Amino acid sequence: SSLFLHKCQHSGSESAVGGFQQMRLLTHNLLQCNKKGVTNGFPLIIRPVQMKYEESPYDKDFTAAMIPKVQYDALLKALQWVREYPPFANGEALPPGGLPELPPVLPQEYEGDDNLLRRLHFLLFDIHLVEGKLVCPESGREFPVNDRIPNMLLNDDEV
């Protein structure tokens, strides 16, 4: 979809664009419902059918560089929805310790906090929505996610 490509182009980093091939929480943080008449289409509600944890190499500088692009309050909401996914809620399919906790407000000095950056990396890059739906918080419009790819295309009568 053009929205999908448009958001990729505005990520500001070629490395980040590769992350758009899969439905990570970073991708979720950049998507919104652009259905005609919708004024509050962000963040999309995550309704998971299948989620997966896949560890990726931690890069402190890259993670720190991505944080200014992330809407932190939307990430906190996404984390709430992800915690409700039964296998994650039960601590299955996750490394020991499960999903990390995040502070309610992003600290100003996050660049120097390696522990926080590792937790943010875990959530933004290692949690994948494999199958499920992203739901517009205003209209209820559902966008399917199949094989980690969100379909954000709108019908003709929605644009």
Side-chain angles (χ1 to χ4, degrees):
S1 97
S2 59
L3 165 68
F4 194 64
L5 296 174
H6 176 76
K7 289 288 186 181
C8 290
Q9 292 166 348
H10 281 86
S11 70
S13 167
E14 286 187 35
S15 300
V17 171
F20 282 88
Q21 296 166 358
Q22 299 185 357
M23 190 61 220
R24 296 178 167 102
L25 291 190
L26 174 64
T27 314
H28 168 264
N29 199 272
L30 301 173
L31 295 175
Q32 65 182 9
C33 175
N34 282 339
K35 183 179 172 191
K36 180 172 57 181
V38 168
T39 57
N40 182 30
F42 179 85
L44 296 167
I45 299 162
I46 299 171
R47 296 273 187 256
V49 173
Q50 182 185 2
M51 298 200 74
K52 190 167 188 185
Y53 165 77
E54 288 182 2
E55 186 176 0
S56 63
Y58 172 63
D59 181 331
K60 180 179 180 176
D61 294 334
F62 180 70
T63 302
M66 291 308 297
I67 300 309
K69 301 174 186 341
V70 170
Q71 294 212 24
Y72 190 75
D73 58 337
L75 177 61
L76 293 176
K77 285 184 181 176
L79 180 55
Q80 285 179 328
W81 295 318
V82 167
R83 284 189 194 288
E84 294 169 6
Y85 175 61
F88 285 0
N90 298 333
E92 300 167 30
L94 290 169
L99 292 168
E101 296 291 335
L102 289 179
V105 177
L106 184 66
Q108 296 250 327
E109 305 298 320
Y110 67 86
E111 295 102 334
D113 187 339
D114 191 63
N115 181 279
L116 176 60
L117 288 173
R118 285 182 183 277
R119 288 181 281 154
L120 288 165
H121 168 89
F122 179 115
L123 294 168
L124 291 169
F125 300 105
D126 296 351
I127 299 296
H128 300 260
L129 178 59
V130 180
E131 302 287 337
K133 293 180 172 73
L134 300 174
V135 182
C136 175
E138 182 178 318
S139 70
R141 168 65 153 87
E142 295 181 344
F143 298 94
V145 177
N146 296 302
D147 199 21
R148 304 177 190 223
I149 300 170
N151 180 350
M152 301 301 294
L153 291 175
L154 294 170
N155 298 321
D156 289 343
D157 62 347
E158 297 176 308
V159 289

